[in-house]
Each structure stands twice: as structure tokens, then as C-alpha cells.
Amino acid sequence: GESVGLHLPTLSVQEGDNSIINCAYSNSASDYFIWYKQESGKGPQFIIDIRSNMDKRQGQRVTVLLNKTVKHLSLQIAATQPGDSAVYFCAEFSAGDNNNDMRFGAGTRLTVKP
Amino acid sequence: ETGVTQSPTHLIKTRGQQVTLRCSSQSGHNTVSWYQQALGQGPQFIFQYYREEENGRGNFPPRFSGLQFPNYSSELNVNALELDDSALYLCASRPTSGRPETQYFGPGTRLLVL
């Protein structure tokens, strides 16, 4: 079956450095790709999304890149802060999916060292 | 916070029992989705409710059922509990006009089946 997955389960960075979290997907019909942040004891929190007709989108300190050729998605966090420590999930959604199913990857745990 | 609450926060049941988990959404959020998140994995879509009707379902058996009420609350019911049902159960809500990717998640109910 089609799936969304991540390359690395853990990532450790120094405070102030940039972080890059990667994600591979297989459903070429996906319309939206989303990054969520999940802190301990909380539900996932929306960070940023990108439509399939875009290849880059920027937010506050975050940038999402979409490469449809190789079906790859990445989240870049600039000047990573201790508060960025969390598990990050990519997810994809197809507007034409009658099941209204949003599919999540397994997650990457980001640890920021002071 | 997201304005989405869930109860109880933790629950322990034994195999074969039945469980009801509850979610309270923000006023005006008439679309609610439920997810199962096993330890160390991403959330998996169970089903979605809109205006008190199920309008999408993931790959979960019929013993997972739901209800949605006019007061923006909803329930997830699981019958004949199995050990593999141990997980964090998340609900997420959004207004009809909201994009699916910007749904608001509750903190989840952690269910342990012994």
C-alpha cells in the first residue's frame, strides 16, 4: 500500500544550528503535505503545509521543500531552539480521497542540545 | 491551547472489555477525526464525523465506532478490546470551511489494555 515515511528516526542538533528533517512519500496523488510537531503529552500541532503544485513554502523560521520528482519532503528549521525539541511528523492528504484519510509518517525525534 | 479536550487522560482496561473515549471540540467545529497512535509511531486515521454522520474511515474493524453530538462533542467506542489496541487516541476537529491540514488536535487519551 502507499505510505508516508521518514528517513531518520532521531536527529540531534546544537542550539542555534539549522535542522533538516526529511520525509519520503509514495502517493503521487497527494494534494497537501503537512508537517506537525508533537511535544510530550500533547497532540500534534500544525507547523506548515505545502500544496502539491508548489516546491517551497516559508513560514516563521521554517521552510518546507517538496520534490515531486523523487517524492521527497523536507522541513528546515532555522536557528533551532530548545523549544523545538519534539517529534516531527510529515503527513499527506488527498482531496479526492473519499475516506478523508490523512496519512502520517512514523516521526523524527528532534533533540536540541544547549 | 487548541480548545480541544479529551477525557479521560489515561485508562486501563482488560482484554475483551469495551471502552468509550470522549472529545470536546471548539464551538463551530463540526468535523472531527479520530486517530490511533501506537507508541513510537505516527497517528493512524480511524474515522471522521461530519454533522453527526461518519464520512470517512480508515483501515479499522467495525468494533471501532463513533458518535458525534450537536454540542460539538464526540465519542470513540471500542468493543472487544485487544492487547494491540493499547495506544494514544487522538481526536482532531476543524470547522467545515477549515482546511483538513489545519485541524486542531486534543492531547489524547492513553489506553492500556492488559
Side-chain angles (χ1 to χ4, degrees):
Chain A
E2 299 190 308
S3 64
V4 178
L6 293 175
H7 292 307
L8 297 171
T10 61
L11 178 65
S12 183
V13 300
Q14 205 69 38
E15 181 178 358
D17 288 351
N18 296 333
S19 303
I20 300 176
I21 301 172
N22 296 303
C23 178
Y25 66 94
S26 57
N27 184 3
S28 57
S30 298
D31 296 299
Y32 297 94
F33 300 89
I34 311 105
W35 283 99
Y36 287 94
K37 172 186 180 183
Q38 187 173 25
E39 297 174 283
S40 180
K42 296 184 179 180
Q45 177 187 2
F46 171 84
I47 302 173
I48 191 169
D49 66 334
I50 188 168
R51 288 196 171 199
S52 60
N53 61 355
M54 301 170 67
D55 53 21
K56 181 179 180 179
R57 188 161 188 230
Q58 288 185 293
Q60 187 176 14
R61 281 202 307 120
V62 294
T63 301
V64 56
L65 300 177
L66 175 63
N67 185 331
K68 292 183 288 293
T69 302
V70 295
K71 296 180 181 174
H72 183 268
L73 185 71
S74 69
L75 175 70
Q76 300 178 1
I77 305 174
T80 314
Q81 303 169 0
D84 295 327
S85 294
V87 178
Y88 290 80
F89 295 98
C90 65
E92 59 93 3
F93 180 81
S94 302
D97 185 346
N98 291 330
N99 285 331
N100 289 306
D101 183 356
M102 181 173 291
R103 288 169 285 273
F104 284 76
T108 292
R109 180 174 296 281
L110 174 65
T111 301
V112 182
K113 296 177 289 187
Chain B
E1 296 302 326
T2 65
V4 181
T5 59
Q6 292 186 244
S7 62
T9 55
H10 296 81
L11 197 56
I12 300 175
K13 290 285 189 178
T14 56
R15 196 169 43 183
Q17 285 189 312
Q18 178 268 342
V19 69
T20 298
L21 309 181
R22 294 179 173 83
C23 173
S24 179
S25 305
Q26 292 185 37
S27 177
H29 282 203
N30 49 18
T31 300
V32 64
S33 299
W34 285 90
Y35 294 82
Q36 180 194 69
Q37 185 176 20
L39 196 63
Q41 297 184 24
Q44 279 200 300
F45 175 75
I46 303 175
F47 45 57
Q48 181 181 102
Y49 275 77
Y50 170 66
R51 289 187 176 177
E52 303 164 47
E53 296 281 338
E54 184 181 300
N55 75 333
R57 191 176 185 93
N59 189 26
F60 280 81
R63 60 189 184 85
F64 285 78
S65 63
L67 288 172
Q68 185 185 26
F69 304 101
N71 64 351
Y72 306 109
S73 66
S74 59
E75 291 180 355
L76 165 66
N77 298 288
V78 187
N79 293 323
L81 283 167
E82 300 176 0
L83 298 180
D84 285 349
D85 295 333
S86 295
L88 180 69
Y89 288 86
L90 297 160
C91 73
S93 72
R94 61 179 175 88
T96 306
S97 59
R99 304 195 317 268
E101 61 272 28
T102 57
Q103 57 190 338
Y104 297 91
F105 282 86
T109 293
R110 187 162 296 282
L111 172 65
L112 177 62
V113 182
L114 301 175

